[in-house]
């Protein structure tokens, strides 16, 4: 579900009748197939950019101001590029922070007036904030830095401007996405390669539990601190080089909660490699077991699932046609990702929602998503 460029252009044209040249940029969200809470441990992840996206239509200005109007509620926010204030706890923070760190990295940032729209659900664990940061970067700069550097700039917005110590997976998925593949990313070397998905036979269904995930509530940072404490106790830079044997040496001498977190990370890295190989071999039985193991580990060891996410996964795997299901993203609410036989996808989506409502009293939503290309320009500005 992409935003039609015509609609954005018309919305901007209505506000800027004299605009000479309208630019349009977009950035995809992402669904992580497997490899959760591994990125900030210098581990492995297998995300896929998706066709739910943020898009901006804009005209350049020479007054050093950035003014954006939201398509969904008409709210208009802005700031001066010469005087970027500390974050205020509003959506415009992502825009201002991106401008700040782009400029700090030496990029030529220009003023603009624009309209911004999104088809990505907010706070659902589909990287809506990374998509916003990177769409904004493409609007603010005629030539933004290359993908990995741009991802790192967007990560600084989260880490240094907003105080969320997130990893680099979301931003990399948004800047590297491919319409035909998932991305196997090594978050230590920052090397990556595309992994083909059996999309001729399987569809990707994302089920939104309707319980928003708020990362700012510190549980995410707490998980990261626990992982870092275990790495430090082992004398390692990160959990990337930790092994079950090393963790066993700490047992009885170290915080058992932190050790459970580390146990998840060590096993999850292996699952990523196994899952990439199984997807490439079309071995969906193995993919299904790996998704199930990942979900159980996130629920029991990393403790970031929720009753709603557990219900969505339990319901999905009980249905014929569902090959694999697990929570996706940081957890604490948000979405599940499901690989479903194409021919069964409509029935499966409806059945999951029906049963979810019956079990939890909540209404969820289903999105069928396709892999999408990286962020970039649809129509150049002046
Ligand atoms: C959020 C963060 C990512 C990653 C995931 C969990 O999406 O932004 O960096 O840590 O959670 O895998």
């Amino acid at each position: 579900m992409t935003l039609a460029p015509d609609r954005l252009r018309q919305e901007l044209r209505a506000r800027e009748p004299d605009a000479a040249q309208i630019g349009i940029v977009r950035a995809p969200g992402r669904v992580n197939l497997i490899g959760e809470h591994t990125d900030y441990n210098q581990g492995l992840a297998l995300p896929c950019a998706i066709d739910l996206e943020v898009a901006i239509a804009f005209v350049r200005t020479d007054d050093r101001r950035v003014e954006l109007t939201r398509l969904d509620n008409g709210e208009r926010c802005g700031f001066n590029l010469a005087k970027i204030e500390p974050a205020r706890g509003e959506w415009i923070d992502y825009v201002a922070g991106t401008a700040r760190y782009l400029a700090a990295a030496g990029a030529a940032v220009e003023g603009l007036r624009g309209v911004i729209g999104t088809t990505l659900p907010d706070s659902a664990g589909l990287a809506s904030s990374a998509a916003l940061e990177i769409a904004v970067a493409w609007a603010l700069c005629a030539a933004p830095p290359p993908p990995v550097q741009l991802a790192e700039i967007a990560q600084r917005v989260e880490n240094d401007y907003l105080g969320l110590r997130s990893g680099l997976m979301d931003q990399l998925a948004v800047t590297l996405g491919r319409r035909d593949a998932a991305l196997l990313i090594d978050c230590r070397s920052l090397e990556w390669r595309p992994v083909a998905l059996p999309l001729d036979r399987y569809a990707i269904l994302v089920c939104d539990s309707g319980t928003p995930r708020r990362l700012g509530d510190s549980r995410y940072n707490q998980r990261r601190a626990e992982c870092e404490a275990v790495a430090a106790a082992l004398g390692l830079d990160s959990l990337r080089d930790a092994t079950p044997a090393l963790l066993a040496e700490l047992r009885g001498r170290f915080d058992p909660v932190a050790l459970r977190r580390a146990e998840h990370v060590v096993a999850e890295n292996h699952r990523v490699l196994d899952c990439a190989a199984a997807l490439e071999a079309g071995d969906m039985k193995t993919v299904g077991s790996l998704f199930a193991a990942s979900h159980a580990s996130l629920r029991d060891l990393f403790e970031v699932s929720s009753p709603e996410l557990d219900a969505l996964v339990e319901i999905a795997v009980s249905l014929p046609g569902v090959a694999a299901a697990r929570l996706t993203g940081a957890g604490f609410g948000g979405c599940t990702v499901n690989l479903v036989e194409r021919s069964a996808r409509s029935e499966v989506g409806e059945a999951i929602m029906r049963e979810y409502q019956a079990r939890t009293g909540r209404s969820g939503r289903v999105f069928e998503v396709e892999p999408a290309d990286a962020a970039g320009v649809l129509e150049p500005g002046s």
Side-chain angles (χ1 to χ4, degrees), residues 30 32 35-37 39-40 166-170 215 220 329-330:
R30 68 98 189 90
N32 190 21
E36 223 63 85
H37 292 275
D39 60 349
Y40 55 79
S166 54
L168 196 54
M169 167 179 65
D170 299 355
L215 286 191
Y220 182 95

Side-chain angles (χ1 to χ4, degrees), residues 287-343:
V287 172
S289 316
L290 292 164
F291 269 43
S294 172
H295 185 84
S297 175
L298 289 161
R299 182 190 61 211
D300 302 335
L301 300 177
F302 218 74
E303 295 181 281
V304 293
S305 191
S306 67
E308 291 84 5
L309 293 169
D310 292 344
L312 281 173
V313 168
E314 272 169 42
I315 296 164
V317 297
S318 74
L319 295 169
V322 177
R326 56 177 289 277
L327 76 81
T328 187
F332 312 111
C335 293
T336 61
V337 56
N338 305 266
L339 300 178
V340 179
E341 279 171 26
R342 242 173 220 286
S343 54

Side-chain angles (χ1 to χ4, degrees), residues 54-187:
V54 173
I56 304 173
F58 63 95
V59 288
R60 290 220 183 284
T61 60
D62 49 18
D63 59 4
R64 305 296 291 157
R65 276 202 66 78
V66 174
E67 294 280 349
L68 283 175
T69 304
R70 281 170 64 148
L71 270 190
D72 58 349
N73 62 8
E75 188 192 342
R76 184 176 164 133
C77 273
F79 59 91
N80 191 326
L81 284 169
K83 192 167 175 294
I84 294 178
E85 310 279 354
R88 293 179 289 188
E90 293 167 21
W91 65 272
I92 199 71
D93 293 344
Y94 293 93
V95 184
T98 303
R100 170 186 281 198
Y101 295 110
L102 274 171
V109 173
E110 296 178 64
L112 58 80
R113 281 191 301 276
V115 293
I116 180 160
T118 182
T119 53
L120 265 170
D122 190 25
S123 302
L126 300 177
S128 56
S129 56
L132 173 55
E133 290 146 12
I134 288 159
V136 160
W138 277 94
L140 290 172
C141 294
V148 173
Q149 200 191 334
L150 180 55
E152 287 172 331
I153 289 168
Q155 186 192 23
R156 284 196 68 190
V157 178
E158 307 277 347
N159 292 179
D160 300 345
Y161 194 61
L162 303 169
L164 176 70
R165 300 188 62 224
S166 54
L168 196 54
M169 167 179 65
D170 299 355
Q171 287 80 6
L172 283 174
V174 176
T175 60
L176 294 169
R178 300 255 313 233
R179 77 170 55 206
D180 54 354
L183 311 168
L184 175 57
I185 302 176
D186 181 327
C187 297

